[in-house]
Amino acid sequence: LYLTPPFTLHNDECDGSFSLYYIHFYEQAIHKESIFDKYDLPVKIRADEQAEQWIKRLQEINPGRQLTHIDPKVYDNQPNFSQFVAHNNKLPLHLFTESQGILSILMSRFLEFRSRKASDKDERIIKSLKYIHSHINCDINLSILAEKACVSEDHFIRLFKKELNQTPIKYINAKKIEKAQLLLITTNWPIRDIAMDLAMDNISYFNKIFKQYTGKTPLEYRKQYEK
């Protein structure tokens, strides 16, 4: 079993015959820490027969959902994404619940080998992460985060960097760019509207930060996923 982080390029090679099951899912980290903020997870673990049965069952109760092309540009676009969402909404409640359960079971295999990113994460940082995730569409400034942590801005920056090995601004920008990547692929919103939705009113600054994190401008990034 392989766990591929979002927006990560990867190659698959095999000397003999090769086939795979590909499951694409989203984590909703609203008003709470992302599981990927809490833990370091393995990217590869050994599968067993039971895991294969769960995956086949997931395919069985979601007929016609398989990817018919190997090129992600064919299906990573707004029309196809909307179709996937529509299929989800049409699932009977019992099958939707079972699908979520199977995904949780498969994810639990990776969680078994998790390690805490910080052995004793400061409660003040946990609160700040919850605030960031629930206000990612807002202008998040350090004074608000420091005030919620009941420390000075300088102290908060040092505390945050100690716990997450990066500055608060870098973390906030990374989360905003992740959201921008998803919106560029799954909507036809103008780039300016996406920037505004993320409270990044300066479009030049948005383009600059986006390219720093992805190596492409927002327009270049969107074009690579267009049909």
Side-chain angles (χ1 to χ4, degrees), residues 15-146:
D15 294 333
S17 61
F18 180 76
S19 62
L20 59 83
Y21 292 93
Y22 185 86
I23 304 171
H24 189 188
F25 63 95
Y26 294 97
E27 180 203 25
Q28 293 286 351
I30 306 299
H31 302 294
K32 62 179 181 179
E33 270 187 299
S34 164
I35 197 171
F36 298 101
D37 289 324
K38 289 183 180 181
Y39 305 112
D40 284 318
L41 301 175
V43 295
K44 180 176 68 172
I45 60 175
R46 184 171 294 278
D48 55 23
E49 184 177 343
Q50 190 177 41
E52 184 177 1
Q53 290 173 351
W54 282 122
I55 292 171
K56 288 182 177 180
R57 175 58 181 167
L58 190 64
Q59 183 185 37
E60 179 184 338
I61 62 179
N62 290 272
R65 305 294 299 277
Q66 69 272 15
L67 301 177
T68 56
H69 301 275
I70 62 172
D71 186 353
K73 294 179 182 179
V74 175
Y75 53 83
D76 271 350
N77 52 67
Q78 196 274 335
N80 277 292
F81 182 80
S82 298
Q83 189 176 30
F84 294 152
V85 173
H87 281 308
N88 277 343
N89 293 336
K90 291 178 181 178
L91 272 179
L93 180 59
H94 67 288
L95 294 182
F96 180 82
T97 304
E98 184 178 354
S99 296
Q100 286 188 315
I102 292 174
L103 289 175
S104 295
I105 290 172
L106 294 172
M107 192 67 189
S108 72
R109 303 296 178 88
F110 292 93
L111 290 171
E112 181 180 356
F113 302 100
R114 74 192 184 279
S115 60
R116 258 286 187 181
K117 287 198 171 182
S119 57
D120 186 21
K121 185 171 286 187
D122 195 301
E123 182 65 28
R124 293 168 293 185
I125 297 303
I126 293 176
K127 288 182 180 179
S128 70
L129 290 175
K130 289 180 180 178
Y131 182 88
I132 291 170
H133 292 151
S134 58
H135 293 80
I136 200 63
N137 296 91
C138 304
D139 182 16
I140 306 172
N141 58 65
L142 294 181
S143 61
I144 293 177
L145 296 176

Side-chain angles (χ1 to χ4, degrees), residues 177 180-181 184-185 189-192 194-195 203-212 214-226:
I177 295 307
Q181 286 175 280
L184 285 166
I185 294 173
W189 292 5
I191 292 172
R192 179 174 295 278
I194 291 176
I203 191 66
S204 296
Y205 177 73
F206 172 72
N207 288 337
K208 177 183 176 181
I209 296 299
F210 191 95
K211 189 167 185 177
Q212 284 180 358
T214 68
K216 298 178 183 293
T217 67
L219 183 59
E220 290 171 340
Y221 188 85
R222 170 172 272 171
K223 282 185 175 179
Q224 74 178 349
Y225 288 98
E226 290 179 349

Side-chain angles (χ1 to χ4, degrees), residues 174-191:
K175 293 304 173 183
K176 284 181 178 289
I177 295 307
E178 283 183 12
K179 181 70 176 294
Q181 286 175 280
L182 182 62
L183 291 174
L184 285 166
I185 294 173
T186 61
T187 76
N188 56 4
W189 292 5
I191 292 172

Side-chain angles (χ1 to χ4, degrees), residues 151-166:
V151 295
S152 68
E153 284 190 34
D154 288 341
H155 187 187
F156 176 76
I157 293 172
R158 290 194 297 270
L159 192 64
F160 194 98
K161 192 171 182 179
K162 177 184 176 183
E163 297 287 346
L164 276 82
N165 296 317
Q166 59 183 308

